Amino acid sequence: MVIDATRMKNLGDRFAEGEVRGRSLWADARRRFFRNKAAVGGLVMLALITLLALFGDSLAQWSNEEIDFDVMGQAAQVGQPSIGNGHYFGTDDLGRDLYSRTLQGTRISLMVGIVGSLIAVIVGTLYGAVSGYVGGRTDQILMRTVDILLAVPFMFVVILLLVMFGRSLFMLFFGIGLMSWLNMARIVRGQTLSLKHKEYVEAAQATGVPTFTIILRHIVPNLVGIVAVYATLLVPEMILIESFISFLGLGVQEPLTSLGALISEGARTIYYGTTWQLLWPLAFFVATLFSFFFIGDGLRDALDPKDR
């Protein structure tokens, strides 16, 4: 094979000057993610919903607690958007501004989904990594504990906690986070079993690195990809759970609200022809869920090593 000396020299000069760089896994994943139109569309939609939920109140002329007595109890005007009186999404059956309440409900639902997923990620990742890495009797005890907890009806436990200790955001976070980490622990444990025999882990063991340090520095960082994908799919699941609980009337208490509570209120009044009271929170709810699903699917495809 004849090698072009000039070409090799130019390539060597480019390496020396730092012009030629290798592509990392994350760089490839980012490139594949942004080529996925559905994932990018979901990311843009989620960003817009989040910005509107956080800063949209600055455009509101009515707060979520104010009552417009001019339209209260008037079924013909309930839920009908009207820019003239400042009700962009209309009002509910009590005369409260639906725009402000929808934004507040979106904030609460996003907070429940993100906090619940964060609890599941932190607890489940550490629990599963310790179980899979230590192995033996410890692994058996930890996994049988997870199996027992998974056999307990999750929704029943959450509802029971809310009934016994009162409806509050803290109890809602605690109840959802109490059980949501179980599947994460099983997934992480399975991945850890395949990572614990890698060369870099065995090298760390041979040099006397403590067990917990190996887990935090070598095992957990290599689980970031699958944990990130599962977390993005877990957020909409948490939002669905919270919405279902709020739909039953066991969620957050007034004057706070959530998308599930707003959908429940809209469903009760839809028979009076006030469809807008249901459609606005339902539209935000569906758009948020689909955004997270598209982002999760995009991350899963982007981080798949078979696509490299």
Side-chain angles (χ1 to χ4, degrees):
M1 179 183 297
V2 179
I3 301 177
D4 190 338
T6 304
R7 184 178 178 183
M8 293 299 296
K9 180 179 183 300
N10 292 335
L11 185 60
D13 293 340
R14 291 176 62 191
F15 270 112
E17 295 172 2
E19 295 180 8
V20 179
R21 296 183 178 88
R23 294 189 305 181
S24 66
L25 171 64
W26 293 106
D28 287 340
R30 183 172 62 252
R31 187 175 293 104
R32 286 195 296 270
F33 179 83
F34 284 106
R35 284 203 301 261
N36 189 323
K37 295 181 180 179
V40 173
L43 184 63
V44 172
M45 179 63 70
L46 182 61
L48 292 176
I49 292 174
T50 304
L51 290 174
L52 187 61
L54 293 177
F55 306 108
D57 283 338
S58 60
L59 303 176
Q61 299 184 28
W62 297 80
S63 72
N64 61 290
E65 298 181 26
E66 288 182 281
I67 297 177
D68 188 349
F69 292 97
D70 294 333
V71 299
M72 184 176 62
Q74 300 181 21
Q77 298 185 37
V78 170
Q80 298 300 321
S82 175
I83 298 178
N85 58 15
H87 301 301
Y88 309 132
F89 291 177
T91 60
D92 62 7
D93 54 326
L94 298 179
R96 295 174 295 185
D97 184 53
L98 194 57
Y99 171 78
S100 297
R101 288 178 61 77
T102 301
L103 295 187
Q104 183 195 45
T106 304
R107 286 196 298 271
I108 296 295
S109 295
L110 283 175
M111 184 166 60
V112 170
I114 292 173
V115 172
S117 300
L118 190 62
I119 294 174
V121 166
I122 294 176
V123 177
T125 300
L126 292 178
Y127 190 98
V130 170
S131 177
Y133 181 79
V134 176
R137 185 178 296 274
T138 301
D139 181 36
Q140 292 293 324
I141 294 174
L142 293 179
M143 284 299 102
R144 296 298 76 76
T145 302
V146 169
D147 293 338
I148 293 172
L149 292 176
L150 282 172
V152 178
F154 167 63
M155 193 61 67
F156 175 77
V157 173
V158 176
I159 293 175
L160 187 63
L161 288 173
L162 291 171
V163 172
M164 291 179 59
F165 299 102
R167 295 181 296 167
S168 64
L169 275 178
F170 172 78
M171 191 52 58
L172 193 60
F173 290 149
F174 179 78
I176 293 177
L178 184 66
M179 307 291 285
S180 60
W181 59 272
L182 298 174
N183 286 325
M184 173 67 80
R186 298 182 72 177
I187 293 173
V188 170
R189 183 248 183 187
Q191 294 295 315
T192 303
L193 290 176
S194 63
L195 291 175
K196 64 186 293 186
H197 299 297
K198 296 293 184 180
E199 292 80 2
Y200 54 86
V201 175
E202 294 178 350
Q205 294 171 342
T207 55
V209 178
T211 299
F212 200 68
T213 303
I214 294 177
I215 293 174
L216 291 181
R217 291 186 179 180
H218 299 288
I219 301 296
V220 173
N222 286 281
L223 298 171
V224 170
I226 190 170
V227 168
V229 172
Y230 187 76
T232 56
L233 298 177
L234 191 61
V235 172
E237 181 181 343
M238 298 294 102
I239 295 177
L240 280 170
I241 292 172
E242 182 277 327
S243 298
F244 177 73
I245 293 173
S246 296
F247 190 86
L248 296 177
L250 297 173
V252 295
Q253 292 180 307
E254 295 286 355
L256 297 177
T257 189
S258 68
L259 291 178
L262 291 174
I263 293 172
S264 178
E265 294 173 5
R268 288 198 301 267
T269 60
I270 195 172
Y271 300 104
Y272 304 106
T274 57
T275 55
W276 288 106
Q277 189 174 349
L278 172 64
L279 292 180
W280 283 114
L282 186 62
F284 273 74
F285 179 74
V286 172
T288 302
L289 291 186
F290 272 95
S291 297
F292 275 110
F293 284 138
F294 287 150
I295 293 172
D297 288 341
L299 284 175
R300 182 191 60 196
D301 295 339
L303 294 171
D304 189 351
K306 296 179 182 178
D307 293 336
R308 293 197 66 185

